[in-house]
C-alpha cells in the first residue's frame, strides 16, 4: 500500500545493521535479562512493514556484544517466532 514507507524501512534495517557493527563492544556468551529484553525490543521493530525481524535481531545482538557463536544459536532457534 505504501511502497515508499517499506523502502525507507528497509534502509532503516540496513542502518541498524551498520550501526550495530560500529557500536559493538567486547563480545560475550552471557545472555542476561537486559540483553534478552534488548533483542526482544529490536524484534518489536519488525511490526513496521519492511523492517526485517532477523536483521533487527542480529543487529541488536551485535550491538549488545553477543558473540558470533551465540548469535548463530539465537537466530537458528528464534527463527520460528
Amino acid at each position: 500500500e505504501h511502497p515508499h514507507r517499506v523502502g525507507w524501512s528497509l534502509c532503516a534495517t540496513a542502518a541498524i545493521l551498520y550501526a550495530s557493527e560500529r557500536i559493538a563492544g567486547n563480545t560475550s556468551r552471557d545472555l542476561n535479562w537486559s540483553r534478552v529484553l534488548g533483542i526482544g525490543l529490536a524484534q518489536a521493530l519488525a511490526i513496521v512493514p519492511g523492517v526485517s525481524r532477523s536483521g533487527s535481531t542480529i543487529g541488536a545482538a551485535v550491538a549488545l556484544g553477543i558473540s558470533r557463536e551465540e548469535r548463530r544459536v539465537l537466530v537458528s532457534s528464534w527463527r520460528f517466532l
Side-chain angles (χ1 to χ4, degrees), residues 6-80:
V6 173
W8 284 110
S9 297
L10 289 171
C11 291
T13 300
I16 289 169
L17 291 172
Y18 179 77
S20 65
E21 286 286 334
R22 295 287 184 196
I23 64 173
N26 296 332
T27 60
S28 172
R29 289 188 53 93
D30 296 333
L31 279 178
N32 54 28
W33 283 103
S34 62
R35 285 181 168 180
V36 171
L37 182 62
I39 291 170
L41 291 174
Q43 283 192 337
L45 291 174
I47 290 174
V48 177
V51 174
S52 165
R53 189 179 71 215
S54 61
S56 62
T57 301
I58 293 169
V62 170
L64 293 170
I66 296 174
S67 68
R68 182 178 296 269
E69 295 82 23
E70 193 65 27
R71 288 192 309 253
R72 191 174 301 128
V73 171
L74 287 174
V75 170
S76 65
S77 65
W78 289 359
R79 69 174 174 244
F80 63 88

